[in-house]
Amino acid sequence: MMFIRAYVFFLGVLATLFLGWAALTFIPGIQIKEVKPLPGLKPYTEQELRGRAIYIREGCVYCHSQQTRPDGFGVDQRRGWGRPSVPGDYVYDRPHLLGTMRTGPDLFNIGARQPSEDWHLIHLYNPRATSPGSIMPPYPWLFEEAEEAPEEFYRMQGKRVVPVPEQFRPEGKVVIATQEALDLVAYLLSLNHTYPVKAEKR
Amino acid sequence: MSDKKTDSRWRFRPEEEKHDIYSLHRQALREPPEPQEGLEPPPWWLWVISVLLIFWAGFYLGRYGGVFGPYVHVLEEGRRTERETALVPKEPETTVSGAEVYARVCAACHQPNGQGVPGVFPPLAGSEWVLKDPETPILIVLHGLQGPIEVKGTVYNNVMPEWGSKLSNEEIAAVLTYVRNSWGNQTAEITPDMVEKVRKETQERKTHWTQEELLKLKK
Amino acid sequence: MKSDHSIPGTEEAPELSYRILSDTSSSAPVIVFFTSAVVWLLVGTVFGLIASFKFNFPDWLGNIPALTFGRVRPAHLNSVIYGWASLGIAGLYVWLTARLCQTEVHWRRLLYISAILWNAGVLYGVVSILGGHSQGIEWLEFPKGAQTLIAMASVLLSLSILRTFYGRRVKHIYVSLWYILASVIWFPILYVIANLPFYSGVTQAAVNWWYAHNILTVWVTPAGLAAAYYFIPKVIGRPIHSYYLSLLGFWSFALFYNWNGIHHLIGGPLPTWLISVSIVASVLMFIPVITVAINHHLTMVGHFGKLRYSPTLRFVVFGAMCYTAVSFQGSIQALRSFNEITHFTHYTVGHAHLGLYAFFTMSIFGAIYYIMPRLTKWEWPYPVLIKFHFWLVALGITLYVISMTVGGFIQGLYMNDPSRPFMDSVQVTKPYLMARSIAGVVILIGHLFFIYLFYLMIKRKGVKRLTPPWYEKAEEYAR
């Protein structure tokens, strides 16, 4: 009768998993470990890390990638999303946020492409205020509403009034960014990988 | 883990069964026997497909294996020795499309239809700043703009970033020509040479313009 | 072989008494697993539907942080994978192992503990995600605590199944059991390795997608295949076509499938050879898939008429066909030239649902339709509802996959056309996203029928029937 000896079977099963693990994660892990952070890459500041945690909390990664492909494979560069990304760009990323969906545009260089803080704040408060037709959800809980008053009044208290267009904010109210919103925008603005890549020589 | 006691609880004890055995286990008893395996040989063409696929795999890994080093984006270069070139962005294309630059740089704020966002980002369609003379829009794009500015009778108060370090003369010329000839705008073209000239003249400038400065420059 | 349990009338066929023995002993734990799986199915479907409608109406529920898209989507994924799929798989494995080993289920207490830990882990994890405590790594969003609970639960499940296997009364190990044994060994190891806290940057991305794809390799696909390998020959009452094909199919599957993961990062910042290796492994998946397809088809051939009267066969064969389809699609999708278009689009979402729903979930439905009457000694009370269930989910998932595939492909073409603004690639998907939401509603209605039937089964309510659904048709067919 044909039957596989059980222990041969179990060894085989363990071996296949081990092979895949070694080839796909262990060996590349060792190869990539040798990669140093690129000279132009700055570690995240405290505030940017707080913003990054909000990026993770709100699940931005499910619609936005942070990886750009080389010319000849997609048109990322012609869209102005920046040079192809390399392992040295991600050394400070933990967890990684490469993303695999582009329901919205790539954000690898959003800080360079859209450096306006106001734009980001308005966009987070209601994406359709800056980008008509967008299907991005709004994040009103990153903002506070306050009685309408001249901007100076709030600026004196150290508050940041967001210039949301009138038809997108509650009547007679102004929108004030919370610290969380400012942190998130600080993180987005830090996504600037326009520095050059020195060719890695062997 | 001693499960003896539990097991005996579950072990089937016919003497305790009050019901007719067949009706109680109707579902299990009506089944066909447990499945067996036949001994037909695999079809010959399955082997052919498998061997062909494995050959293809070898070829593909040789072609796109990137010598199994830590190199990324080694696509077209294949086995070329100067693999590193793949990391360096290619030369920008010689012909620049103004519409493309507009879509990627300007449209986020000024909107694809050039109307801006009411009260926040000023329109470009019909804007006196875009249309009045060629130098003003070049200055604004090169160095950015800050503070209150009146466009078509409305005051906007916001910051426009500088794009001089990020866009080439060709790109600025193309996008401004596009802006000055779209959505009902119709004015003269702007050439890369004009941008180059303005860039040279103002190369010491490191800050954004304000409305007053621009008005002073162009009386 | 001689029976050591004397059931009157089975002296000549010891297999019958073993069958009753294994069903009796597996009944309670399997019902626990299946019931909690079905609860998570409902939860997962509702989350999926909310996420889908958020694409159509982005401001809907826009004020509730817990229900923002970026939290509901992982809640959906995790509750269907770790809730519905995993608990369904656990039930299937426990029942099938006992059956195929012709023995009782050993170490049953471990199974109850496993079920409790598993449910607690998923509940804790899903609530954490909604509360904003996600780890931010796709497929591994659960916080460490929830992951520990699930890891412990999966080890307990594996121990019980391996112990049952050790107590087997059969000499020959049937092919379904290969998949089950491999699966219960792979899954805990994989889950623990992927959750080790050593990784960062690009390496973490590699581990992430190696893991995410391997959930299918080690857990979901073996379960679907074990079900197909068991129920197709079982229901039609003839042997599986070829042992050699089973052998080739299993080992090529084990060898190639867990090298696939990095095809999720084609074009990304990973060593080119790594991506190429995954592409090659994905294409080599043609070998196990064609092998399994031949094996199943040649077993079925001449018996397709039986699809009319066996709900189990109907669901399982639908699943097996979709397995072939989704695997072919996956192999082609991994090629660079094709991936350039479909990467980053909804096409991938369609592919995932073709695999996880049309193949896996349908197979598990089929298995539940077969297993439940044997555990509760009650026939499915309303065959017409089974019919509704089948057609609603079959049509729903077909609409889902078609709309996502077509919509995603067009989205990819638009994205790769630099003369179009990016926003065009969003606008063009809108009607397809709406079709997807409608498909989701249809599927949810199908699930409600199923859940109602399932409830009647565990409560032994509804019409008392002495014959399985469509028994009359079966008689007719036999004539």
Side-chain angles (χ1 to χ4, degrees):
Chain A
M1 261 316 258
M2 68 272 161
F3 71 98
I4 314 175
R5 303 288 287 275
Y7 69 90
V8 180
F9 174 84
F10 285 125
L11 281 182
V13 159
L14 285 173
T16 51
L17 186 72
F18 176 76
L19 273 179
W21 171 77
L24 294 198
T25 70
F26 186 65
I27 296 173
I30 287 175
Q31 281 188 345
I32 295 168
K33 256 217 180 83
E34 294 165 8
V35 173
K36 299 269 169 294
L38 290 168
L41 181 70
K42 288 191 283 295
Y44 297 110
T45 65
E46 198 93 328
Q47 186 187 23
E48 286 158 9
L49 281 175
R50 286 201 305 270
R52 197 164 194 272
I54 293 161
Y55 188 95
I56 292 167
R57 183 182 84 190
E58 304 302 349
C60 307
V61 70
Y62 301 105
C63 288
H64 294 283
S65 60
Q66 287 187 23
Q67 49 169 323
T68 39
R69 300 180 288 179
D71 239 350
F73 193 70
V75 293
D76 299 5
Q77 292 178 63
R78 291 192 63 190
R79 284 208 181 279
W81 290 351
R83 61 160 174 81
S85 59
V86 297
D89 289 323
Y90 299 96
V91 276
Y92 301 119
D93 282 21
R94 190 178 178 143
H96 83 96
L97 292 171
L98 257 56
T100 50
M101 278 296 274
R102 281 181 183 168
T103 307
D106 187 87
L107 299 183
F108 188 58
N109 274 309
I110 187 66
R113 197 163 76 232
Q114 179 47 276
S116 161
E117 198 179 42
D118 276 333
W119 187 91
H120 283 293
L121 289 170
I122 300 169
H123 185 244
L124 287 171
Y125 180 74
N126 188 336
R128 277 150 295 286
T130 58
S131 316
S134 164
I135 54 173
M136 175 168 146
Y139 298 92
W141 54 92
L142 300 180
F143 299 87
E144 284 161 10
E145 281 153 13
E147 291 307 316
E148 191 136 33
E151 209 200 316
E152 282 72 30
F153 174 74
Y154 287 109
R155 204 187 299 147
M156 300 277 268
Q157 307 172 27
K159 288 181 175 169
R160 178 81 156 82
V161 176
V162 184
V164 180
E166 249 166 57
Q167 67 268 37
F168 288 102
R169 61 177 193 230
E171 220 164 297
K173 302 265 183 180
V174 288
V175 175
I176 289 171
T178 62
Q179 191 55 41
E180 288 194 339
L182 296 173
D183 291 347
L184 180 54
V185 171
Y187 169 65
L188 290 173
L189 294 182
S190 80
L191 292 175
N192 181 344
H193 300 92
T194 46
Y195 51 83
V197 176
K198 269 276 274 164
E200 291 160 31
K201 290 262 160 53
R202 255 206 142 141
Chain B
M1 174 91 0
S2 96
D3 249 13
K4 277 249 157 58
K5 227 169 67 199
T6 350
D7 275 357
S8 61
R9 228 190 316 148
W10 292 86
R11 195 155 275 155
F12 184 72
R13 272 169 291 184
E15 67 278 7
E16 287 175 16
E17 286 292 350
K18 293 185 188 67
H19 303 283
D20 169 23
I21 193 89
Y22 292 101
S23 64
L24 192 67
H25 296 294
R26 202 183 307 112
Q27 290 89 354
L29 293 175
R30 70 165 177 249
E31 284 176 26
E34 296 301 320
Q36 302 282 312
E37 285 150 317
L39 289 170
E40 308 292 325
W44 60 272
W45 50 265
L46 182 63
W47 297 115
V48 175
I49 291 180
S50 306
V51 169
L52 287 178
L53 278 170
I54 288 168
F55 269 108
W56 172 86
F59 160 77
Y60 192 91
L61 284 180
R63 176 78 178 73
Y64 298 106
V67 296
F68 294 90
Y71 310 109
V72 294
H73 307 310
V74 193
L75 261 191
E76 298 311 313
E77 280 70 15
R79 289 178 159 283
R80 266 172 55 184
T81 40
E82 62 274 34
R83 294 172 291 275
E84 303 85 44
T85 50
L87 296 178
V88 181
K90 290 189 178 161
E91 290 294 303
E93 304 207 358
T94 38
T95 51
V96 185
S97 152
E100 225 176 281
V101 178
Y102 184 82
R104 90 173 190 236
V105 178
C106 321
C109 293
H110 296 291
Q111 302 302 318
N113 58 7
Q115 298 300 330
V117 175
V120 187
F121 303 120
L124 300 179
S127 158
E128 59 272 32
W129 298 90
V130 173
L131 296 172
K132 74 174 171 185
D133 62 273
E135 279 80 27
T136 308
I138 298 179
L139 286 170
I140 296 176
V141 171
L142 278 176
H143 302 291
L145 184 68
Q146 193 164 14
I149 182 168
E150 190 180 334
V151 183
K152 289 168 83 177
T154 317
V155 177
Y156 297 84
N157 188 355
N158 220 314
V159 184
M160 168 162 162
E162 57 93 22
W163 295 99
S165 60
K166 295 174 184 129
L167 298 176
S168 67
N169 293 340
E170 286 76 16
E171 284 172 315
I172 294 177
V175 76
L176 284 178
T177 307
Y178 171 78
V179 166
R180 280 155 64 92
N181 291 285
S182 304
W183 326 296
N185 291 357
Q186 217 163 7
T187 358
E189 159 184 29
I190 287 178
T191 66
D193 296 335
M194 293 157 74
V195 180
E196 177 61 24
K197 189 168 151 274
V198 179
R199 198 193 275 270
K200 275 237 174 78
E201 284 167 7
T202 60
Q203 60 187 349
E204 309 84 56
R205 186 164 184 95
K206 292 281 174 285
T207 52
H208 298 153
W209 299 105
T210 60
Q211 178 174 243
E212 293 74 42
E213 284 179 305
L214 286 176
L215 287 174
K216 231 180 277 166
L217 273 174
K218 298 279 145 197
K219 249 214 209 102
Chain C
M1 257 185 286
K2 206 185 165 303
S3 165
D4 40 355
H5 309 286
S6 40
I7 296 173
T10 64
E11 293 86 358
E12 295 303 306
E15 198 192 299
L16 286 188
S17 63
Y18 292 138
R19 190 183 287 166
I20 292 167
L21 170 72
S22 63
D23 280 4
T24 318
S25 70
S26 65
S27 151
V30 173
I31 288 177
V32 170
F33 278 126
F34 278 164
T35 309
S36 37
V38 166
V39 172
W40 284 114
L41 175 70
L42 183 62
V43 173
T45 315
V46 171
F47 280 142
L49 211 52
I50 295 175
S52 181
F53 274 116
K54 290 216 152 222
F55 275 130
N56 311 126
F57 311 105
D59 289 312
W60 177 60
L61 303 177
N63 289 321
I64 309 169
L67 292 181
T68 189
F69 176 80
R71 300 192 196 183
V72 174
R73 182 193 186 277
H76 162 68
L77 187 143
N78 283 285
S79 49
V80 293
I81 293 295
Y82 299 109
W84 154 244
S86 294
L87 290 160
I89 291 170
L92 173 72
Y93 281 3
V94 169
W95 184 82
L96 210 49
T97 311
R99 269 292 180 104
L100 288 170
C101 294
Q102 303 201 344
T103 182
E104 69 270 26
V105 174
H106 292 262
W107 290 359
R108 242 185 326 269
R109 256 183 241 156
L110 295 192
L111 293 177
Y112 298 125
I113 302 172
S114 169
I116 292 167
L117 292 181
W118 209 304
N119 277 300
V122 180
L123 184 65
Y124 172 30
V126 169
V127 170
S128 301
I129 291 175
L130 294 180
H133 301 283
S134 155
Q135 287 210 51
I137 310 166
E138 281 183 75
W139 293 70
L140 290 170
E141 286 94 345
F142 281 175
K144 285 280 177 244
Q147 288 177 335
T148 313
L149 289 175
I150 292 175
M152 290 191 324
S154 75
V155 170
L156 297 183
L157 172 72
S158 300
L159 285 178
S160 165
I161 284 176
L162 291 173
R163 175 65 185 87
T164 304
F165 173 71
Y166 186 71
R168 67 192 179 276
R169 291 202 176 83
V170 289
K171 230 179 161 193
H172 176 70
I173 306 172
Y174 183 67
V175 46
S176 289
L177 205 48
W178 307 349
Y179 284 99
I180 295 174
L181 293 172
S183 185
V184 296
I185 287 183
W186 281 335
F187 181 73
I189 299 177
L190 174 79
Y191 195 70
V192 170
I193 289 182
N195 281 314
L196 295 178
F198 305 143
Y199 319 110
S200 70
V202 169
T203 316
Q204 193 178 32
V207 175
N208 182 184
W209 287 106
W210 175 74
Y211 168 79
H213 205 89
N214 265 7
I215 279 285
L216 312 179
T217 314
V218 309
W219 198 226
V220 171
T221 313
L225 289 180
Y229 266 120
Y230 183 80
F231 289 111
I232 293 177
K234 181 76 178 179
V235 172
I236 64 180
R238 64 183 295 201
I240 199 85
H241 179 66
S242 163
Y243 171 74
Y244 302 110
L245 283 175
S246 307
L247 206 59
L248 177 66
F250 175 78
W251 286 108
S252 52
F253 171 91
L255 202 57
F256 300 139
Y257 207 166
N258 77 68
W259 290 58
N260 275 7
I262 316 298
H263 68 205
H264 286 270
L265 295 165
I266 298 176
L270 287 119
T272 304
W273 70 266
L274 182 59
I275 295 172
S276 293
V277 163
S278 270
I279 294 175
V280 162
S282 311
V283 174
L284 287 180
M285 278 304 287
F286 272 124
I287 298 174
V289 171
I290 293 175
T291 309
V292 169
I294 299 173
N295 217 0
H296 289 166
H297 181 76
L298 291 181
T299 307
M300 266 308 284
V301 85
H303 294 263
F304 282 101
K306 291 188 179 172
L307 291 178
R308 273 186 306 148
Y309 73 75
S310 166
T312 301
L313 200 60
R314 206 181 256 198
F315 277 97
V316 171
V317 168
F318 184 96
M321 287 175 167
C322 289
Y323 173 62
T324 311
V326 73
S327 305
F328 275 36
Q329 190 194 24
S331 295
I332 292 164
Q333 201 178 334
L335 289 169
R336 281 198 164 89
S337 46
F338 197 83
N339 191 270
E340 182 179 2
I341 300 167
T342 59
H343 196 21
F344 299 126
T345 68
H346 295 299
Y347 185 95
T348 321
V349 180
H351 175 69
H353 282 80
L354 183 57
L356 282 164
Y357 197 95
F359 158 51
F360 170 77
T361 297
M362 292 300 256
S363 301
I364 290 286
F365 281 148
I368 291 179
Y369 277 119
Y370 196 87
I371 296 172
M372 282 309 283
R374 281 150 185 82
L375 305 183
T376 59
K377 315 286 184 226
W378 191 253
E379 299 292 350
W380 291 98
Y382 302 111
V384 65
L385 294 188
I386 301 181
K387 222 177 236 179
F388 283 160
H389 173 216
F390 177 79
W391 285 109
L392 283 170
V393 295
L395 290 175
I397 194 61
T398 310
L399 175 61
Y400 188 113
V401 172
I402 290 177
S403 61
M404 285 294 92
T405 305
V406 176
F409 197 81
I410 298 175
Q411 183 193 9
L413 290 178
Y414 274 40
M415 244 190 245
N416 281 351
D417 178 357
S419 66
R420 285 180 190 281
F422 181 84
M423 189 55 92
D424 279 14
S425 78
V426 177
Q427 300 304 323
V428 75
T429 56
K430 282 186 174 173
Y432 299 99
L433 291 171
M434 186 50 105
R436 187 259 294 267
S437 294
I438 292 166
V441 172
V442 174
I443 291 173
L444 176 65
I445 297 171
H447 285 172
L448 291 177
F449 281 119
F450 171 69
I451 289 164
Y452 177 59
L453 276 173
F454 189 88
Y455 166 79
L456 294 178
M457 277 308 272
I458 36 178
K459 286 281 178 189
R460 296 163 58 90
K461 280 188 174 163
V463 178
K464 184 177 169 62
R465 298 170 56 92
L466 294 175
T467 53
W470 308 318
Y471 184 68
E472 309 73 32
K473 279 195 191 150
E475 291 284 277
E476 198 180 303
Y477 182 84
R479 251 187 274 127

